[in-house]
Amino acid sequence: MRVFSVPEPCRSLAVAITGASGTLYATRFLARAVRYFDPLYLTLSGPAVRVAREELGLELDLERFEPRQLLPGVPGAEKIRYYRKTDYDAPFASGSAAPDAMVVVPCSMGTLGRIVAGTSDDLVHRAADVMLKERRKLILVIRETPLSLVHARNILAATEAGATVMPAAPGLYHRPASVEDMVDFVVFRLLDHLGVRDKEARRWMVEPE
């Protein structure tokens, strides 16, 4: 009988939001993550701001940004430590202070390609590079379709380098009644891979506690 190991719980976490469509995945994930991780770091790419405006109607100013602008009304949002994409003084930009895990959600194909190539031209790419070299958990939540051969090769290369590539592909067996239900399916799977078993997760043939 094959025994599957349960991931060790992560305590510290870095989250990066890039310009791929799917900002709701990031906000729903962060709203859950503030319950479980301390410290919780956050950085955004430039295109992420435009996508947040188009998809969620959020007007974000990265010069005066505070996480509560991204998570209005979410308890604990003030605990998130935000760093600009050019801030290489961020703790998670160094292997000596690397967090237990990092999630890039959503992860654009451009970000995936730069991570695979090791071209650290902003904090998102540098932090991901740190996670790979320190053999820490790195999860890339890609959201693109269809995939080109270049994308497929980059996914393979990222996996070979030690990252977990998790497409934003929600299941439907829990009969989602809203977009949020579909997004949360991916959010709970993300938490699973970070060692967190959220009691509200809808699982195959298992009722939430």
Side-chain angles (χ1 to χ4, degrees):
M1 178 178 177
R2 184 176 181 182
V3 178
F4 294 91
S5 61
V6 176
E8 287 293 323
C10 299
R11 293 176 295 277
S12 54
L13 177 68
V15 176
I17 304 175
T18 73
S21 177
T23 309
L24 189 59
Y25 286 104
T27 56
R28 300 286 291 186
F29 174 68
L30 284 169
R32 288 273 169 185
V34 294
R35 309 178 187 187
Y36 301 109
F37 302 99
D38 187 17
L40 176 56
Y41 305 111
L42 174 66
T43 189
L44 284 75
S45 72
V49 176
R50 179 177 180 181
V51 177
R53 181 175 65 247
E54 294 294 329
E55 295 187 343
L56 302 180
L58 297 175
E59 294 291 342
L60 306 180
D61 181 355
L62 291 186
E63 294 302 316
R64 295 182 292 273
F65 177 76
E66 295 181 0
R68 62 185 178 183
Q69 297 173 21
L70 192 63
L71 302 170
V74 173
E78 68 281 356
K79 298 189 301 181
I80 300 174
R81 306 180 193 181
Y82 167 72
Y83 292 87
R84 298 179 184 178
K85 66 175 184 175
T86 56
D87 193 350
Y88 286 87
D89 288 333
F92 55 98
S94 171
S96 65
D100 294 331
M102 178 178 180
V103 174
V104 184
V105 54
C107 180
S108 68
M109 291 297 103
T111 299
L112 173 65
R114 290 181 179 88
I115 292 172
V116 167
T119 55
S120 303
D121 56 2
D122 69 11
L123 182 57
V124 176
H125 312 136
R126 170 56 188 170
D129 189 48
V130 165
M131 301 306 289
L132 291 177
K133 78 182 185 69
E134 297 295 325
R135 304 298 192 268
R136 302 292 177 88
K137 184 179 292 293
L138 173 63
I139 303 177
L140 308 175
V141 184
I142 61 171
R143 205 235 50 84
E144 187 60 273
T145 189
L147 298 175
S148 72
L149 180 58
V150 172
H151 299 154
R153 285 174 172 163
N154 284 340
I155 291 170
L156 175 61
T159 303
E160 290 176 335
T164 297
V165 179
M166 185 181 294
L172 300 176
Y173 55 76
H174 62 302
R175 297 185 180 182
S178 65
V179 171
E180 288 77 13
D181 284 348
M182 296 179 70
V183 168
D184 284 348
F185 180 95
V186 175
V187 168
F188 288 132
R189 295 295 288 133
L190 267 172
L191 291 172
D192 284 346
H193 280 261
L194 294 169
V196 174
R197 300 285 287 182
D198 194 296
K199 293 182 179 180
E200 295 182 27
R202 300 288 299 274
R203 304 184 186 281
W204 175 249
M205 301 299 289
V206 177
E207 293 297 325
E209 295 183 18

